[in-house]
Amino acid sequence: MWVYRIGFIGVPIVAVFVMGCTSLTSSSGFLAEAQASGYSVPIAVGKIEAEDIKESSGLSASECQDVLWTHNDAGNDAFVFAMTPEGRHMGTWRVGNTSNVDWESIATYKGPDGKCSLLIGDFGDNDENRSDIAIYRVTEPAVSAETSTSTSRNPLQTEPAEILRFAYPDGPKNAETILVHPKTGDIYVLTKNKKGPSEVHRLKPEFGKISVVLTEKVAEISVPSTPPGLLTGGSISPDGKRVMVCDVKNGYELVLPDGIADPDAIWHQKPVIVNLGERKQGEGVSYGRDGISLYASSEKKNTPIILVKRTR
C-alpha cells in the first residue's frame, strides 16, 4: 500500500491505493458528507480504457448485463461503447439510422418483456437554436469477449434505431440529461440552465411517429450549487424510487417518500449532495443494476470510473 496526497475541490485529501482501487478519504469534510448522504466515500475502481472515448458525455449501467455504456460528444461519430464497471473496453458499435449532432446523454431500459434497449439523447443545444432534436432507441447489443476486439476503426453494427423527434412547447433549450422510468417507460429530459433551475420535461415513448412530439413540463429542479440548474447527467434507480442528477461538481439525489405512488412526486423532493469524487468534467452518472452502486465518469481521455455505494 502507498499513499499519495492530491488536491480535491480546493481541499487536500489522501488517496490510498489498495489492490488497484483509489479510495478518496478525509478525516473531516468528505466523510461527514458521505455520512449525511448515506453513501460511501468515492473510489476510483478503474479508468476508461478505450482510446476512442475522448468525451464520455453520458453513462448508463445495463440492466441486462454487467456493462456500462457511454458515447462521445458532438463532432464525433455515432458510436456507443461498452465497458466493464472498471472501464475495460468491451466493444464499439455504430448505431444504425442515426447521426451524432450533439449526443449528450444515454439511458438503458428493461421492458416488460425482459429485453433491454439503449436510449440516446441527441439534444445538446448550447446556442438554443436547434429545430431538430431527437432521442434514438436501439436494442442493446450483447457484449462478449468476441465483441471486445471491435473499435472505431472496425465497429460492429446495431440494429437500425427508432427515432423520437421532439420539441419544447416554449422554444429551444439546451439539455444533457435523459432518464427513463423503469416502471412506466416514460422518458424525462432535464434541461441545462445557466441561470435558473433545470426544467423537467416528460415524453411518452412514441418512437416512429412522423410528427414532432411536444414535451410536457412537469417540474423544476434546483440543486444546492451555483448555478442551480446546470445539470450534466442523471439516472433513475431500478426500483424507480431514487433519482440521481449531477453537474460538474457533485451528484444530487432525490428520494420518493414511502407510500407515494405518483412517480412525478419525486421532482418536488429536496436534493441531497452526494460526493462523486474528483472528475475533470463530470457529465455521467448511473445507478448500477443492484440499485445500491453509483458509477460516475468524466469527459477527457482515460478518465477514472468512480464508484460510491449506498450505506443505508
Side-chain angles (χ1 to χ4, degrees), residues 102-298:
D102 193 355
W103 289 11
E104 288 291 354
S105 190
I106 187 169
T108 54
Y109 174 66
K110 186 175 184 179
D113 58 2
K115 296 180 180 180
C116 280
S117 56
L118 307 178
L119 285 84
I120 303 160
D122 190 352
F123 44 51
D125 190 6
N126 288 328
D127 296 327
E128 298 189 351
N129 60 10
R130 286 184 65 183
S131 59
D132 183 16
I133 54 177
I135 296 169
Y136 301 120
R137 182 174 68 183
V138 65
T139 300
E140 181 180 341
V143 174
S144 67
E146 287 72 26
T147 65
S148 66
T149 61
S150 60
T151 67
S152 296
R153 293 183 179 180
N154 62 329
L156 299 166
Q157 183 78 29
T158 72
E159 296 178 4
E162 301 172 283
I163 303 175
L164 171 58
R165 302 195 185 279
F166 72 97
Y168 306 100
D170 55 346
K173 304 174 188 294
N174 190 23
E176 295 192 4
T177 305
I178 184 173
L179 309 173
V180 184
H181 198 281
K183 306 300 182 183
T184 66
D186 286 349
I187 300 167
Y188 296 89
V189 177
L190 278 57
T191 64
K192 183 182 182 182
N193 196 334
K194 296 178 180 179
K195 297 180 179 179
S198 168
E199 298 180 1
V200 180
H201 289 258
R202 183 174 62 197
L203 286 159
K204 294 296 181 182
E206 298 177 302
F207 288 88
K209 287 191 75 171
I210 297 175
S211 60
V212 174
V213 177
L214 288 180
T215 67
E216 177 187 3
K217 181 182 174 182
V218 296
E220 294 183 345
I221 297 178
S222 290
V223 299
S225 182
T226 304
L230 204 68
L231 302 185
T232 59
S235 180
I236 299 181
S237 63
D239 63 4
K241 296 181 179 180
R242 294 171 179 266
V243 169
M244 179 67 63
V245 295
C246 73
D247 56 18
V248 296
K249 301 175 184 178
N250 289 300
Y252 309 91
E253 189 172 56
L254 299 86
V255 181
L256 189 68
D258 291 339
I260 302 296
D262 179 10
D264 284 330
I266 199 166
W267 307 117
H268 305 291
Q269 308 310 309
K270 182 178 179 180
V272 175
I273 296 175
V274 177
N275 176 17
L276 296 180
E278 184 175 12
R279 299 173 298 153
K280 290 183 178 180
Q281 186 175 332
E283 296 210 356
V285 65
S286 177
Y287 289 99
R289 295 176 71 188
D290 59 7
I292 297 173
S293 303
L294 270 174
Y295 296 95
S297 65
S298 174

Side-chain angles (χ1 to χ4, degrees), residues 289-309:
R289 295 176 71 188
D290 59 7
I292 297 173
S293 303
L294 270 174
Y295 296 95
S297 65
S298 174
E299 288 198 350
K300 312 303 180 184
K301 289 181 67 174
N302 304 128
T303 53
I305 298 292
I306 297 170
L307 171 66
V308 297
K309 287 198 172 186

Side-chain angles (χ1 to χ4, degrees), residues 85-98:
E86 297 75 36
R88 182 165 56 87
H89 181 63
M90 293 302 295
T92 302
W93 284 261
R94 183 182 295 278
V95 182
N97 196 34
T98 71

Side-chain angles (χ1 to χ4, degrees), residues 39-53:
Y39 280 89
S40 65
V41 295
I43 296 175
V45 292
K47 67 178 182 179
I48 296 176
E49 177 185 273
E51 295 294 326
D52 298 334
I53 303 174

